[in-house]
Amino acid sequence: MATADPRRGYILGLSAYIIWGLFPLYFKAIQSVPALEIIVHRAIWSALFGAALLLVWKHPGWFRELRENPKRFGVLAASGMLIAANWLVYVWAVNNGRMLEASLGYYINPLVNVLLGMLILGERLRRLQWLAVLLAAAGVAQQIWQVGALPWVSLTLALTFGFYGLIRKQAPVAALPGLVVETWLLLPLAVGWLLLNPTAASAQASFWGSPEALWLMAAGPITLVPLVCFNAAARNLPYTTLGFLQYLAPTLVMLQAIFLFDEHFDPSKLLAFFFIWAGLAIYSVDAWLTLRRNF
């Protein structure tokens, strides 16, 4: 197994989260297409682009290793379904004026990673990490009390991406081949959806002469590039440290929601964000102190 390279991991992680933070600009360009149909095309074009990329970016022996360990196909099928669910909720939120909720979900995600590390990987939480998680829980509880319902967009995004990252970290498959297999396992579902929905916009011949068609085709590289960066970063950084970098993406999403797309940042949301930000600040201090002791 290759030795972890933290410097490379940080660069790749930063690249992934900056690209993800700018995703709303892409999805707003194709908001006339329903969210589910966008996800169908993300799967199709990601599968095609990923296969082409794999032909250029060689990974000798990756398919033989998978064939000799068929259980890994099941792991990648599970991670593929998780990332598809994450895509669907995120696209729906962006194109339905709920970008702030999406942003909150990705702020929660690093603290979900800490919990998953404790519950599933057996990692022990330090005192400051416990405090950070409790503050995040208080932010979610405040939204439940204020709104009278679970902030389902935020929680779904945080949990699906948290479990996705956890599974991919545990799957002994290189980043790009793993992503290609994930998207190819989603491909039958995507093609089947198109066949069962002949009235869909993208099923019409006239659609493919429109600008939206080009945007949908671009979903392959736009989707895979940050995912390749993320998965490679996950193999070079501790899982909790990787979560630390994620602050970039929700910050960019939040700024776009407020200043570009005029979403209302009411006091209730501000209070929930305050709890989450406080938790993240404490988590950041703990992560910095830990890194300082280790290097």
Side-chain angles (χ1 to χ4, degrees):
M1 183 178 292
T3 304
D5 183 347
R7 180 183 176 85
R8 181 171 179 264
Y10 277 118
I11 293 172
L12 290 166
L14 283 170
S15 300
Y17 287 123
I18 289 173
I19 295 170
W20 277 324
L22 298 176
F23 260 15
L25 298 176
Y26 169 72
F27 292 123
K28 287 291 186 181
I30 50 174
Q31 63 182 337
S32 61
V33 181
L36 182 56
E37 194 168 350
I38 291 174
I39 300 312
V40 164
H41 282 278
R42 283 188 83 172
I44 292 171
W45 296 108
S46 295
L48 296 175
F49 179 76
L53 192 58
L54 197 55
L55 291 175
V56 177
W57 192 355
K58 302 293 184 182
H59 286 74
W62 69 269
F63 187 73
R64 175 177 51 79
E65 290 181 11
L66 274 176
R67 191 177 62 232
E68 292 174 354
N69 298 274
K71 288 184 179 179
R72 294 181 188 176
F73 282 104
V75 172
L76 292 172
S79 62
M81 293 301 293
L82 282 168
I83 199 62
N86 184 274
W87 291 348
L88 179 59
V89 174
Y90 184 75
V91 173
W92 181 88
V94 168
N95 288 342
N96 284 272
R98 299 177 76 165
M99 285 173 59
L100 286 172
E101 291 181 52
S103 173
L104 183 63
Y106 286 118
Y107 274 122
I108 295 172
N109 180 248
L111 303 177
V112 168
N113 292 344
V114 172
L115 276 177
L116 292 178
M118 178 191 72
L119 296 173
I120 297 176
L121 300 182
E123 298 175 358
R124 296 182 62 183
L125 297 194
R126 297 178 290 274
R127 290 180 181 177
L128 289 179
Q129 288 179 319
W130 273 115
L131 181 56
V133 170
L134 288 174
L135 283 168
V140 173
Q142 184 273 339
Q143 281 289 283
I144 295 173
W145 176 76
Q146 188 71 35
V147 180
L150 276 173
W152 69 269
V153 169
S154 303
L155 292 177
T156 301
L157 291 174
L159 290 170
T160 53
F161 200 72
F163 276 102
Y164 171 76
L166 180 67
I167 289 175
R168 289 296 287 118
K169 184 174 176 65
Q170 296 302 297
V173 182
L176 181 59
L179 289 167
V180 171
V181 173
E182 281 177 352
T183 54
W184 275 91
L185 290 172
L186 289 172
L187 192 58
L189 295 176
V191 173
W193 186 90
L194 284 176
L195 293 175
L196 292 171
N197 291 272
T199 59
S202 59
Q204 313 306 312
S206 58
F207 176 83
W208 294 99
S210 67
E212 286 83 1
L214 294 176
W215 281 113
L216 282 182
M217 293 172 67
I222 288 173
T223 296
L224 280 187
V225 168
L227 278 173
V228 168
C229 292
F230 171 79
N231 280 287
R235 300 179 73 84
N236 284 280
L237 288 175
Y239 196 50
T240 51
T241 303
L242 184 64
F244 171 79
L245 296 176
Q246 191 183 346
Y247 305 168
L248 281 172
T251 300
L252 288 170
V253 172
M254 182 186 69
L255 292 174
Q256 290 169 84
I258 297 171
F259 296 109
L260 288 182
F261 304 114
D262 299 320
E263 285 196 23
H264 182 51
F265 199 25
D266 59 56
S268 170
K269 285 191 175 71
L270 179 59
L271 185 56
F273 272 84
F274 174 78
F275 278 113
I276 304 300
W277 287 334
L280 290 176
I282 291 170
Y283 171 74
S284 301
V285 170
D286 178 79
W288 179 75
L289 291 174
T290 302
L291 287 172
R292 192 177 178 186
R293 284 195 298 265
N294 292 339
F295 290 95

